[in-house]
Amino acid sequence: MRLTLMTDYALRLLMHVARHPERLCTIAEIAQAHGISEAHLMKVTHQLARQGWIETVRGKGGGMRLAHAPQQISVGAVVRDMEPDFALVECLGGSNQCALTGDCRLTGMLQGALNRFVEHLDGFSLADLMVQKPAGSVPSLQTIRRLKEEHA
């Protein structure tokens, strides 16, 4: 399985914006910092804004910022929002023409693996992707879950 470039770029964009909470970030600066086409980033920005992950400000001096704290942005949720589908094989898609449908257990196995993959990503927040966390930051989703498990 491979995530689309849109999802890859979305995660890079969110990480970049999270590193600069004190100001608005622009598509041009993110494109230059990551070597990504501005046209691609415009599409990514539009999708992230539609899904409520970022806020955009138009006009001179405009740009984007996170709509939520990095600790509140689930990596799994972003991946789900950005990926067009998770049809790893034909039988998981909408136009299934597989002759083995109903006589094969592969569908269930792959669906289970996909579910576990995305559930694993749900255990991480945007804050978990960041190398340096600001002093006094709120604990991430992963940290909270780990602490709950340790004290259970």
Side-chain angles (χ1 to χ4, degrees):
M1 183 180 138
R2 184 178 180 139
L3 298 177
T4 62
L5 280 178
M6 289 285 281
T7 302
D8 180 19
Y9 294 167
L11 293 169
R12 291 188 209 190
L13 182 146
L14 290 171
M15 290 170 59
H16 184 96
V17 174
R19 285 188 189 107
H20 305 284
E22 73 286 353
R23 64 178 178 83
L24 295 174
C25 296
T26 66
I27 289 173
E29 86 179 64
I30 297 168
Q32 183 176 11
H34 295 276
I36 301 170
S37 146
E38 286 188 37
H40 279 98
L41 280 181
M42 286 174 63
K43 294 175 189 175
V44 171
T45 300
H46 177 71
Q47 182 76 10
L48 288 170
R50 278 188 19 185
Q51 298 294 337
W53 299 116
I54 60 172
E55 297 173 347
T56 58
V57 177
R58 292 179 165 252
K60 186 173 172 106
M64 69 190 90
R65 64 177 154 252
L66 295 179
H68 310 280
Q71 299 83 356
Q72 297 174 329
I73 298 177
S74 164
V75 174
V78 171
V79 168
R80 277 188 203 86
D81 283 349
M82 295 304 295
E83 284 297 310
D85 70 57
F86 283 105
L88 298 178
V89 290
E90 180 185 1
C91 56
L92 292 176
S95 59
N96 180 14
Q97 300 294 319
C98 182
L100 297 175
T101 299
D103 293 328
C104 172
R105 293 184 176 168
L106 182 61
T107 303
M109 289 177 199
L110 290 176
Q111 187 64 55
L114 178 60
N115 291 344
R116 286 188 196 97
F117 169 72
V118 179
E119 287 169 4
H120 180 73
L121 295 178
D122 284 336
F124 298 93
S125 72
L126 180 59
D128 293 316
L129 300 180
M130 310 306 293
V131 173
Q132 296 177 5
K133 295 182 185 176
S137 66
V138 178
S140 68
L141 292 173
Q142 182 69 15
T143 302
I144 292 168
R145 288 185 178 135
R146 190 189 79 241
L147 291 172
K148 282 182 181 178
E149 289 174 4
E150 289 174 1
H151 298 292

